[in-house]
Amino acid sequence: MNIDTELLAQMVRDELRAVLPEVLRDAAAPILEMEMLRKKKYLRPDEVEKLYGLKATTLSNKRVLGLGPRYIQDKDRGSILYPQKDVEAWMQARKRRTYDQQ
């Protein structure tokens, strides 16, 4: 069975045109989500976790103990929001140098 090289090349191009947009969209989705989170002024605990790697449960524990970043609580709904600038400041204040970085 001898397949024409031009026909095979055209089939490959057609297949790539069909799947490439979906592949690129799927690959770009996490990047776009992170960029959208970076632009938000206030973050929910799950968004802080996605953006900064701080577990929502850790944030909750620190909040109860008064040790975490500043937050806003909606008294009616009980939802928690963290001003992103306060999360960043809180994390910066906890940076430590290792012995070999001095």
Side-chain angles (χ1 to χ4, degrees):
M1 182 162 154
N2 190 2
I3 298 178
D4 182 12
T5 309
E6 271 305 308
L7 178 60
L8 183 59
Q10 184 60 46
M11 289 171 58
V12 169
R13 283 193 295 273
D14 291 345
E15 183 65 24
L16 282 174
R17 269 190 216 105
V19 287
L20 195 56
E22 184 178 341
V23 169
L24 289 175
R25 185 182 61 244
D26 291 348
I31 297 165
L32 292 173
E33 179 183 21
M34 295 301 276
E35 286 304 313
M36 294 299 293
L37 289 177
R38 281 188 181 96
K39 292 178 181 181
K40 289 182 76 173
K41 189 173 181 178
Y42 298 98
L43 300 169
R44 296 184 318 261
D46 63 301
E47 293 172 330
V48 172
E49 183 173 339
K50 285 179 186 174
L51 193 55
Y52 295 101
L54 275 166
K55 297 278 185 195
T57 52
T58 300
L59 285 169
S60 177
N61 291 337
K62 293 203 177 288
R63 192 170 56 245
V64 168
L65 297 171
L67 301 174
R70 292 171 39 147
Y71 65 96
I72 299 165
Q73 183 171 17
D74 183 325
K75 294 294 182 189
D76 297 330
R77 296 184 299 178
S79 57
I80 303 290
L81 292 175
Y82 290 94
Q84 189 163 176
K85 64 180 177 121
D86 290 337
V87 173
E88 288 178 8
W90 183 78
M91 290 184 68
Q92 286 294 328
R94 275 140 193 82
K95 273 189 174 179
R96 301 290 182 258
R97 289 185 153 186
T98 60
Y99 179 75
D100 60 344
Q101 290 177 323
Q102 296 180 11

